Amino acid sequence: MQKSTGKKSPRNKTIDFPADSPEGKRLLEHCVTEQDFLKNGCSALTNRLIHGDSFALLTKLPAGFANLIIADPPYNLTKQYASTAFTEKSAETYRTYTKSWIDLVLPLLAADGSLYICCDWKSSIVIADVLSEYERSGSLFLRNRITWEREKGRGAGANWKNSMEDIWFVTRSERYTFNTDAVRMRRRVIAPYRQDGSPKDWVDDGKGGYRDTCPSNFWNDISIPFWSMPENTAHPTQKSEKLLAKLILASSRPGELVFDPFAGSGSTLVTAEKLGRAWCGIEREAQFCAWAQYRLERAKTDKTIQGFEDGIFHARNS
């Protein structure tokens, strides 16, 4: 995990404070503890972050309570997550691990709900095989694979630089939400076409023109959160709010509930809050829960999502 190395640059907005600091302790008081949850049940889950182990808690959640589930489980890599580590496993062991949490998550998804699963190229192979098994049994419908470009990452001396990740799109049934107009991408028009002297399928804004295009399953407009972005935390595998906004806007309606069983530093929950959705999440690390609660407090007044403005997703660095 990234650690503080002293005085930060004034432009460095990275959220990185200890869970046992006064601020961390205050924020953790807003979380539901695993013990309280197991003792008192699930009477008030809306807009709550549960500090606990998903594998112990998922069976206690109500069936069909989530309209959208976004899962970002540990990739099959050895990586430290605050106080715990995930160790790389054989493909078959990781397959068993994947199936174990999907078995627990699927019953929580509404009949017309959608599930997105984040992964890297290697774990994607295993996850695709697991999802295909569920599809053959009629438990779900495999809709698409989104591939998005990570612009960060170090070069590799004896291999191609790994700059892509996948997100699998799954639904419970043939009936599901997909709001195409909510996730259009604004692109500059390079070779504009006119019909009878007027722009065809593009808008002339005096800067060359633009077109609001339908979303594809390849995204090259995502910025990994970095030190000068207000959403950035010291979490080692944080997803950007812009990426999550696409999933939430496409596959849920205002007021519906978005659930994240591996909440991390809270990016899914924060983005859901900013976009007018209800949310619920589980995270086992106190450190990450504190950072998530800090971000959730700010999201009540600051609805900004970098790269998304006035209902339009803009190209990276535009």
Side-chain angles (χ1 to χ4, degrees):
M1 185 186 78
Q2 178 183 341
K3 294 183 178 179
S4 178
T5 57
K7 187 176 180 181
K8 296 192 296 187
S9 160
R11 292 183 58 217
N12 190 336
K13 298 180 174 62
T14 303
I15 300 165
D16 184 10
F17 54 82
D20 60 359
S21 66
E23 178 75 333
K25 291 178 180 178
R26 178 187 71 82
L27 292 161
L28 284 171
E29 289 179 357
H30 295 282
C31 295
V32 178
T33 67
E34 180 173 317
Q35 293 75 19
D36 285 346
F37 178 81
L38 292 174
K39 179 180 178 181
N40 301 318
C42 52
S43 58
L45 285 177
T46 301
N47 296 353
R48 299 302 299 272
L49 173 58
I50 306 170
H51 176 205
D53 181 2
S54 288
F55 287 91
L57 299 174
L58 289 171
T59 58
K60 311 298 182 182
L61 294 170
F65 88 112
N67 303 100
L68 170 63
I69 298 176
I70 299 176
D72 188 9
Y75 298 174
N76 195 15
L77 303 167
T78 296
K79 189 172 287 291
Q80 188 72 33
Y81 294 94
S83 67
T84 57
F86 188 90
T87 304
E88 184 176 359
K89 310 175 189 308
S90 68
E92 188 55 38
T93 302
Y94 190 72
R95 187 182 193 282
T96 300
Y97 168 80
T98 298
K99 193 170 186 308
S100 68
W101 70 257
I102 293 179
D103 279 344
L104 298 175
V105 160
L106 273 184
L108 309 180
L109 192 59
D112 59 351
S114 297
L115 165 66
Y116 289 93
I117 303 174
C118 302
C119 48
D120 69 347
W121 73 270
K122 198 170 185 179
S123 56
S124 184
I125 297 170
V126 175
I127 289 171
D129 183 54
V130 172
L131 292 176
S132 295
E133 182 180 312
Y134 283 102
E135 185 171 47
R136 287 192 296 271
S137 71
S139 303
L140 54 77
F141 293 82
L142 193 53
R143 295 291 167 195
N144 214 324
R145 183 190 70 185
I146 298 162
T147 298
W148 62 280
E149 181 185 20
R150 303 172 75 256
E151 87 284 13
K152 289 173 68 176
R154 296 178 180 177
N159 202 339
W160 306 103
K161 175 181 174 181
N162 182 21
S163 64
M164 301 291 182
E165 293 193 11
D166 288 344
I167 305 173
W168 288 97
F169 172 33
V170 177
T171 65
R172 281 295 300 271
S173 69
E174 294 284 12
R175 183 170 58 91
Y176 61 96
T177 296
F178 197 83
N179 306 308
T180 302
D181 288 339
V183 286
R184 289 188 181 274
M185 176 76 184
R186 181 156 294 180
R187 299 185 185 278
R188 283 288 156 191
V189 175
I190 297 174
Y193 176 74
R194 293 180 181 271
Q195 188 174 52
D196 299 326
S198 299
K200 181 174 175 58
D201 298 328
W202 60 282
V203 176
D204 187 352
D205 63 353
K207 301 177 183 179
Y210 65 83
R211 177 183 293 112
D212 291 339
T213 63
C214 288
S216 78
N217 64 349
F218 173 65
W219 300 351
N220 64 351
D221 62 310
I222 304 299
S223 292
I224 300 295
F226 54 89
W227 60 274
S228 64
M229 294 171 65
E231 70 186 78
N232 190 48
T233 76
H235 191 285
T237 60
Q238 182 181 348
K239 298 295 186 293
S240 77
E241 293 176 11
K242 182 182 183 183
L243 181 149
L244 295 160
K246 293 190 179 197
L247 307 180
I248 291 169
L249 286 169
S251 295
S252 69
R253 301 181 182 90
E256 291 187 335
L257 192 139
V258 181
F259 176 61
D260 186 345
F262 306 99
S265 62
S267 295
T268 296
L269 315 183
V270 169
T271 309
E273 172 71 29
K274 291 183 175 184
L275 295 174
R277 273 62 172 176
W279 49 266
C280 178
I282 303 174
E283 172 53 45
R284 68 181 178 182
E285 288 292 337
Q287 181 81 87
F288 301 154
C289 284
W291 296 346
Q293 288 292 165
Y294 177 81
R295 296 174 66 196
L296 286 162
E297 283 190 357
R298 296 197 311 189
K300 293 184 183 302
T301 54
D302 181 3
K303 305 297 183 183
T304 304
I305 296 174
Q306 187 161 320
F308 176 68
E309 188 176 5
D310 298 327
I312 293 293
F313 288 94
H314 296 268
R316 183 191 297 154
N317 302 325
S318 64

